[in-house]
Amino acid sequence: MNSSAAPPEASRYRVPQPYDPTAARLLADWCATGAPATLSDHLLRHGPAVPVAPVPDGRTPMPLVEAVERAGLTGRGGAGFPTARKLRAVAERGGRTVVVVNAMESEPASRKDQFLLAVAPHLVLDGAVLAATVVGADTVHVCVPRTRAVQYAQLGAALNDRVRARLDPVRWRLHALPHAYVSSESTSLVSWLNGGPARPQGHPPHTHERGVARRPTLVHNAETLAHLALIARHGPDWFRRAGTPEEPGTTLVTVSGAVSDPGVREAELGTPLATIIDRAGGPAETLRAVLLGGFAGTWLPAENLRVPLARRDLAPLGATWGAGVLVALPRSACGLSETARMLAYLAAHSARQCGPCHFGLPAVAEDFTALAAGRADRDLLSRLHRRTALLPDRGACRHPDGAARLAASALHAFAADVDQHLTHGACAAAHRPTWIPVPPAEPPRTWR
């Protein structure tokens, strides 16, 4: 189902038919109507944002931070940090604080935050207002990439509607930032908002101690804030009806690659990867592997598709659901070629502020390119293993860690292809069209 009124980002995807109504929370309105929710639609369905979670028996409602903690909400931007802990860390600093909505979504394989903001922007903005109420902030900064002019205009219109309705007790500031892979890191946003470059600042103080304008600053991903808005309305017990006891709730997943109906899906945590692929129309071809988590994620062989989308189950495989990306790779593709292109992109988009990014990532990317092309020397494989082992936990940010994880998982998942490329040259699949779109590898010309 498509709506002619749908904004461009929303109209890229059909409403999944059939969809799982138990998993449709953030996307419930979209699944029901196929149209983006205006402010009037949003208020009609949800009412205004409330600062505390309701209770059914008339007792005093619990504070929002306690409700979020009991709900077990974790960040949906990739790191999975407990949301209540971040709220408390800023609130306990006292004084004038700041809230930043991180809608940068610099992961090239992800569209979930763009899609959520296109179809349900006011859930995200409600969550930001509620977070500001909790931590005592009077200003909310909303950060989007300057390369997405349509998204910027849509959000600007949504914010203008709220201002005209005199809905919120905060000042809104909408910003368009340089779009690089590391510009979505929280300290990158704070640096840019303070007049510096949109690059990670790998040194204390932490943003919750001193961030924008030297004030304690809460930075939250767009999807995280939308979940917070629903917890405030429906309470922690409602939130826990989906997901697993250890990892409750739902999450948005961008499903792409060799599937019949690619797009953004909402799934309960604990849903098997194979089920999520089936909800995207099923495999378009026999699958070789899936990439979970995006460019900083992990390759998993197809025999792991029954594993649940949950950190507890993915950890033994060295994987995490990260930024909510699931890419299906068919048997007709070359996983080494796909990985080489992603590593070249990651190397070009590093901040080049420390040794692992300045020297390590380009070296790993060059070796992987040679491996994918069948030009490997006899020492290449041992060199790749050594270099990927040296990258994690040494950078000013986690950028080199993600690249190392991607490279190491590819060497494991495509071990038979590695042997083929080392001994007989590149396989035939290496010369076929690629399945994972990779943006131009050139870094932004300016970080301001």
Side-chain angles (χ1 to χ4, degrees):
M1 182 191 309
N2 257 328
S3 169
S4 59
E9 182 56 43
S11 61
R12 292 181 58 188
Y13 304 117
R14 297 184 298 106
V15 174
Q17 298 292 339
Y19 67 90
D20 180 3
T22 64
R25 291 181 166 191
L26 301 176
L27 302 183
D29 292 350
W30 168 254
C31 288
T33 67
T38 65
L39 180 59
S40 297
D41 298 332
H42 173 77
L43 292 175
L44 184 63
R45 179 178 177 87
H46 299 285
V50 290
V52 291
V55 291
D57 57 5
R59 290 180 290 113
T60 302
M62 68 183 71
L64 182 55
V65 176
E66 181 184 344
V68 171
E69 185 172 50
R70 285 183 52 182
L73 175 64
T74 56
R76 299 301 197 248
F81 197 79
T83 302
R85 196 181 303 173
K86 289 182 73 171
L87 289 166
R88 278 202 177 94
V90 176
E92 289 172 356
R93 303 296 297 184
R96 297 171 64 205
T97 61
V98 176
V99 169
V100 176
V101 180
N102 186 352
M104 292 294 292
E105 196 167 30
S106 295
E107 164 55 55
S110 179
R111 296 291 184 272
K112 70 180 184 68
D113 289 336
Q114 296 177 62
F115 185 67
L116 176 63
L117 283 163
V119 302
H122 296 288
L123 271 183
V124 177
L125 300 176
D126 277 359
V129 171
L130 290 165
T133 302
V134 167
V135 303
D138 58 4
T139 302
V140 177
H141 297 272
V142 183
C143 296
V144 299
R146 62 176 56 151
T147 53
R148 297 176 188 152
V150 172
Q151 182 184 27
Y152 184 90
Q154 291 170 358
L155 272 177
L159 290 171
N160 286 337
D161 288 344
R162 296 177 76 97
V163 170
R164 284 194 293 269
R166 298 184 178 182
L167 202 61
D168 306 315
V170 297
R171 291 189 299 272
W172 292 102
R173 299 288 184 267
L174 179 61
H175 307 275
L177 277 69
H179 198 201
Y181 192 86
V182 295
S183 62
S184 61
E185 205 268 347
S186 61
T187 62
S188 297
L189 304 186
V190 169
S191 173
W192 193 90
L193 291 170
N194 282 336
R199 292 187 293 196
Q201 308 299 301
H203 53 78
H206 300 294
T207 56
H208 73 268
E209 298 169 325
R210 191 170 70 209
V212 178
R214 303 177 69 85
R215 298 195 221 167
T217 299
L218 176 74
V219 182
H220 264 320
N221 162 262
E223 183 190 341
T224 308
L225 291 167
H227 283 294
L228 189 152
L230 292 179
I231 291 170
R233 288 178 167 91
H234 304 295
D237 292 340
W238 169 86
F239 185 77
R240 284 187 166 274
R241 290 176 194 164
T244 71
E246 297 84 7
E247 297 178 63
T250 64
T251 191
L252 298 180
V253 183
T254 308
V255 189
S256 62
V259 293
S260 298
D261 189 18
V264 175
R265 299 292 186 271
E266 186 169 6
E268 294 188 46
L269 291 173
T271 303
L273 302 183
T275 301
I276 297 174
I277 289 175
D278 286 342
R279 291 176 185 166
E285 299 183 24
T286 302
L287 299 186
R288 173 190 295 265
V290 292
L291 176 64
L292 185 62
F295 282 33
T298 308
W299 285 108
L300 296 176
E303 54 263 31
N304 295 129
L305 284 175
R306 294 187 180 276
V307 69
L309 186 73
R311 287 185 172 85
R312 177 179 176 178
D313 299 276
L314 292 167
L317 302 174
T320 176
W321 42 277
V325 168
L326 184 59
V327 184
L329 189 75
R331 287 200 176 278
S332 60
C334 175
L336 299 179
S337 295
E338 302 282 354
T339 303
R341 295 171 66 247
M342 289 187 284
L343 286 171
Y345 173 86
L346 293 175
H349 275 248
S350 75
R352 299 189 179 240
Q353 298 181 124
C354 58
C357 277
H358 194 75
F359 302 107
L361 283 188
V364 169
E366 288 171 11
D367 278 348
F368 228 98
T369 298
L371 174 63
R375 302 193 309 266
D377 60 76
R378 65 179 183 179
D379 297 323
L380 182 140
L381 187 57
S382 61
R383 195 166 61 239
L384 267 176
H385 282 298
R386 183 176 69 255
R387 284 173 170 170
T388 54
L390 287 173
L391 286 177
D393 299 319
R394 292 173 179 264
C397 68
R398 293 296 180 184
H399 182 62
D401 301 49
R405 181 167 49 245
L406 175 70
S409 71
L411 294 176
H412 174 73
F414 307 119
D417 296 320
V418 171
D419 183 65
Q420 160 76 26
H421 282 234
L422 287 174
T423 57
H424 303 293
C427 62
H431 306 291
R432 293 175 186 151
T434 57
W435 282 88
I436 302 176
V438 178
E442 293 80 11
R445 295 181 181 178
T446 175
W447 295 93
R448 274 301 303 168

